[in-house]
Amino acid sequence: MQLYASPLSGNAHKIRMALAFLELPHEEITVAGPERKTPDFFRLNPLGQVPVLVDGDTVIRDSQAILAYLAALHRPGEWDGRDAVERGRIAQWLSLAANEIANGPAMLRLGKLFGVDIYEPGARAMTAKAFPVLDAHLASRDWLEGDRLTIADLAVSPYVALAPDGGIDLAGFPNITRWLARIAALPNFPSMQGWPAA
């Protein structure tokens, strides 16, 4: 199994966490920005983005899709929902990760850490919309859905944990802070720059 990734990508870290928690042997292949625009990489992902997971003859792109694949293959029910209600609620968080989180704190981090030209007011508005909802949801629970880690937690947490890179202070969100610490304390948690293991 090969994971095509970048060390600073929060989307790649979602998959790095999943593979570590599943204890799946794999090779991580770092793909720098210019390399993602080559014909060889376009054959893996025509969008020219990481992460990409290659599992034998199976090639999956997009972090949410890879999480769904790994859950269905290795933790069916436990990671992707035990019934229709859990599956629907987990899917809501995958959508939040792909929309409000990607266009909020992840975008702010892209601007500050990598100098990408972004529309900062829009990204701040997205963050201001998502974080209070997330913090309130976590006030009465340890995990986003159910009584356990699921792909909802894996999808949402990296760019929330890395929000300080984009100038977002997490001090006002105590439930988020506790949730991130809980994830970082799990056995085999892989550290990354900006989010060390507890």
Side-chain angles (χ1 to χ4, degrees), residues 17 38 65 87 123 125 129 134 143 149 178 195:
M17 287 193 301
T38 63
R87 285 193 290 276
K129 181 179 179 182
L134 184 58
W143 307 103
L149 178 82
R178 283 191 291 271
W195 194 14

Side-chain angles (χ1 to χ4, degrees), residues 12-186:
H13 199 65
K14 299 172 188 183
I15 311 310
R16 199 176 288 120
M17 287 193 301
L19 294 171
F21 295 150
L22 291 169
E23 299 183 344
L24 291 175
H26 65 281
E27 175 189 11
E28 182 166 327
I29 301 165
T30 298
V31 187
E35 295 170 15
R36 294 175 212 159
K37 307 305 177 191
T38 63
D40 283 347
F41 192 74
F42 277 138
R43 279 192 279 278
L44 292 175
N45 184 356
L47 296 175
Q49 300 167 342
V50 293
V52 176
L53 185 74
V54 178
D55 186 11
D57 292 332
T58 301
V59 179
I60 307 283
R61 61 176 168 81
D62 183 85
S63 57
Q64 271 66 258
I66 298 169
L67 288 175
Y69 169 78
L70 291 172
L73 199 58
H74 299 283
R75 291 287 191 278
E78 181 185 349
W79 271 18
D80 54 4
R82 291 176 175 153
D83 56 29
V85 172
E86 271 197 356
R87 285 193 290 276
R89 288 180 175 161
I90 287 168
Q92 290 178 145
W93 294 109
L94 298 185
S95 291
L96 184 95
N99 291 297
E100 287 82 0
I101 300 299
N103 292 304
M107 193 64 65
L108 290 169
R109 179 175 180 262
L110 200 60
K112 291 214 182 292
L113 206 61
F114 301 101
V116 174
D117 187 25
I118 65 163
Y119 180 60
E120 188 170 335
R124 287 197 172 278
M126 280 286 194
T127 305
K129 181 179 179 182
F131 277 26
V133 170
L134 184 58
D135 196 67
H137 183 77
L138 288 164
S140 60
R141 61 186 70 227
D142 289 341
W143 307 103
L144 287 180
E145 292 302 331
D147 55 356
R148 65 203 183 277
L149 178 82
T150 68
I151 58 173
D153 303 286
L154 298 177
V156 175
S157 60
Y159 281 119
V160 174
L162 298 169
D165 286 347
I168 300 299
D169 187 358
L170 294 177
F173 303 103
N175 303 313
I176 288 177
T177 303
R178 283 191 291 271
W179 169 67
L180 293 173
R182 194 173 297 119
I183 295 171
L186 290 171

